[in-house]
Amino acid sequence: MKLSMLLWLASVLPQPIADQTCLATTVYLEARSESTIGQFAVAEVALRRRDRGSWGKNVCEVVTSPRQFATTTTARSFEVTDLNAWTKAWKIAGDSIVNWSLPTNERMVYVPRADHFATTSVSPAWSSSRVVRTIGEHAFYAVN
């Protein structure tokens, strides 16, 4: 399925399913080759941003904020072709949303306070001395 179709579907689905669709798409695009923990950490950053409200009021708004996640930097013609990776991303997205709905002190947290991430091969200007944790090929940062 093309990225454009996934994002269109998310725009017409009821909010809980739309959020899972957008989050799964983000996990797939950003971290499908990463460990399960790395994938949960990517989802956590998006959910933390949603809670803070600075990037949008729901997951889809957060992950489609300009130049914040791969949903806006990947060609709309990109095809989701790895069904196993998509299925895993879908489950991680759903489990992350359920986890994030728990009281703060009961949540599983992988990257405390992290609201940004980048691959370890780059050093964004905003990243200096704010690394929370590195998981696989991603460094997670507490910027805000």
Side-chain angles (χ1 to χ4, degrees):
M1 182 177 293
K2 288 186 187 289
L3 175 59
S4 59
M5 178 60 88
L6 280 169
L7 295 176
W8 175 81
L9 277 172
S11 74
V12 298
L13 289 169
Q15 198 59 58
I17 301 300
D19 279 350
Q20 187 170 356
T21 302
C22 288
L23 192 57
T25 301
T26 300
V27 169
Y28 181 90
L29 293 174
E30 298 280 7
R32 68 183 171 276
S33 63
E34 293 294 325
S35 68
T36 299
I37 290 172
Q39 291 182 16
F40 273 114
V42 165
E44 182 180 319
V45 167
L47 291 166
R48 183 170 290 114
R49 283 183 172 206
R50 181 207 55 197
D51 286 358
R52 291 183 180 170
S54 299
W55 292 273
K57 64 182 184 300
N58 61 54
V59 173
C60 290
E61 287 180 5
V62 167
V63 301
T64 59
S65 292
R67 298 184 328 258
Q68 296 300 305
F69 290 91
T71 54
T72 64
T73 60
T74 301
R76 296 286 192 232
S77 59
F78 177 86
E79 293 263 356
V80 173
T81 57
D82 186 337
L83 186 56
N84 290 331
W86 172 257
T87 302
K88 183 177 180 182
W90 181 263
K91 181 169 178 11
I92 284 174
D95 290 350
S96 294
I97 290 168
V98 168
N99 177 55
W100 217 248
S101 70
L102 296 172
T104 305
N105 63 335
E106 295 178 25
R107 293 177 187 165
M108 174 66 75
V109 177
Y110 297 97
V111 285
R113 301 175 327 282
D115 53 14
H116 286 70
F117 63 87
T119 61
T120 55
S121 63
V122 299
S123 296
W126 46 258
S127 69
S128 63
S129 71
R130 294 185 169 126
V131 175
V132 171
R133 183 175 181 189
T134 299
I135 303 171
E137 297 298 315
H138 286 104
F140 294 84
Y141 305 91
V143 176
N144 297 304

